[in-house]
Amino acid sequence: MPAKKKPSPWIDVTAPLHAGTPHWPDQPDVKLERMVSMDDGAVCNVSMLHMSVHTGTHMDAPLHFVANGIGMDQMPLEATIGPCRVVEIKDKESIKVKHLKPLKLRQGERLLIKTINSKRCWNDSKFYEDFVYISQDAAAYMVEHGIMTVGVDYLSVGGFFKDGIETHHHLLRACVWIIEGLNLSKVKPGKYDLLCLPLKTLNCDGAPARVLLKAR
């Protein structure tokens, strides 16, 4: 009798890509199409993926909002590989400075923020305009305390109605690396090992990423 497969210690916090993956309203629907099919007699299956690089779980490079900023291919690997901290903030509007002060942010920290987005926003293909975001004041506070990487559990660090541009400017001008589109619904606050590898898109403003966490 085969031995039982041990559960992986890694937690996949990546949103799956499919035709119904939620995306920013002005960006195209995800198209994942079978171009060549064994069902039609071909010797293999070949699929085509068409989408914005800011769809699903992805990263923002400084070039996304900074005209002369660096692209994804220049991201230092230590930005997304190594120890991180997952914190939970329950405010239904935004992440504010008052939420960050008790966390005692550290220089060079990788910080992932869990909100109500993880439970609410990944259940269907609808785009939620009222997702919880990082306020521009909180973004400035993160920069002041020298964090290296920040991750959020919906499609933008900045809000849809407010602080969208400003929050990105604060973080990306300071070369804080941004992970967006995480699903942290199965993750408890605490210390983890982070493994996030974005595609090496040359001189590009962003890239899709696979993101894994392992409890420390």
Side-chain angles (χ1 to χ4, degrees):
M1 194 172 175
K4 286 186 179 180
K5 187 178 179 181
K6 291 183 179 180
S8 171
W10 291 96
I11 305 169
D12 193 341
V13 294
T14 314
L17 288 172
H18 54 90
T21 298
H23 58 80
W24 207 256
D26 62 356
Q27 294 177 7
D29 292 337
V30 175
K31 290 183 180 179
L32 182 57
E33 301 175 333
R34 187 65 54 83
M35 297 171 57
V36 177
S37 176
M38 295 175 72
D39 290 341
D40 297 329
V43 297
C44 63
N45 295 313
V46 179
S47 297
M48 178 188 73
L49 177 62
H50 180 264
M51 65 179 194
S52 159
V53 295
H54 297 277
T55 300
T57 305
H58 66 278
M59 288 195 65
D60 289 354
L63 185 58
H64 187 32
F65 273 84
V66 181
N68 297 315
I70 60 177
M72 283 307 312
D73 56 304
Q74 297 183 60
M75 184 195 81
L77 294 179
E78 60 268 22
T80 57
I81 300 176
C84 76
R85 182 163 45 143
V86 175
V87 299
E88 185 170 14
I89 293 174
K90 296 183 178 181
D91 193 293
K92 294 181 179 180
E93 180 203 38
S94 65
I95 296 150
K96 303 174 175 67
V97 173
K98 68 179 183 180
H99 302 128
L100 299 179
K101 284 184 176 179
L103 300 179
K104 298 180 180 179
L105 300 180
R106 297 184 295 273
Q107 182 79 26
E109 184 169 20
R110 306 171 188 89
L111 184 73
L112 307 185
I113 305 174
K114 179 179 180 178
T115 72
I116 60 171
N117 294 338
S118 283
K119 277 191 175 181
R120 185 174 69 113
C121 296
W122 293 113
N123 292 330
D124 53 49
S125 60
K126 173 185 174 181
F127 175 77
Y128 285 83
E129 297 179 348
D130 60 343
F131 61 88
V132 180
Y133 60 94
I134 299 174
S135 70
Q136 61 172 304
D137 291 341
Y141 184 86
M142 290 178 183
V143 170
E144 288 171 12
H145 287 76
I147 71 166
M148 177 168 53
T149 305
V150 63
V152 293
D153 56 355
Y154 205 50
L155 296 174
S156 174
V157 287
F160 186 77
F161 299 107
K162 184 180 179 182
D163 292 353
I165 296 172
E166 296 85 353
T167 292
H168 277 93
H169 279 174
H170 279 301
L171 296 171
L172 295 176
R173 284 173 176 169
C175 276
V176 175
W177 292 92
I178 297 171
I179 309 171
E180 296 173 327
L182 297 170
N183 183 345
L184 299 172
S185 57
K186 296 181 180 179
V187 178
K188 296 178 180 179
K191 295 180 180 179
Y192 291 84
D193 285 322
L194 169 67
L195 178 58
C196 170
L197 293 177
L199 294 181
K200 193 175 182 178
T201 48
L202 185 63
N203 195 33
C204 191
D205 47 272
R210 186 74 177 262
V211 186
L212 306 174
L213 295 174
K214 182 171 68 173
R216 292 177 65 83

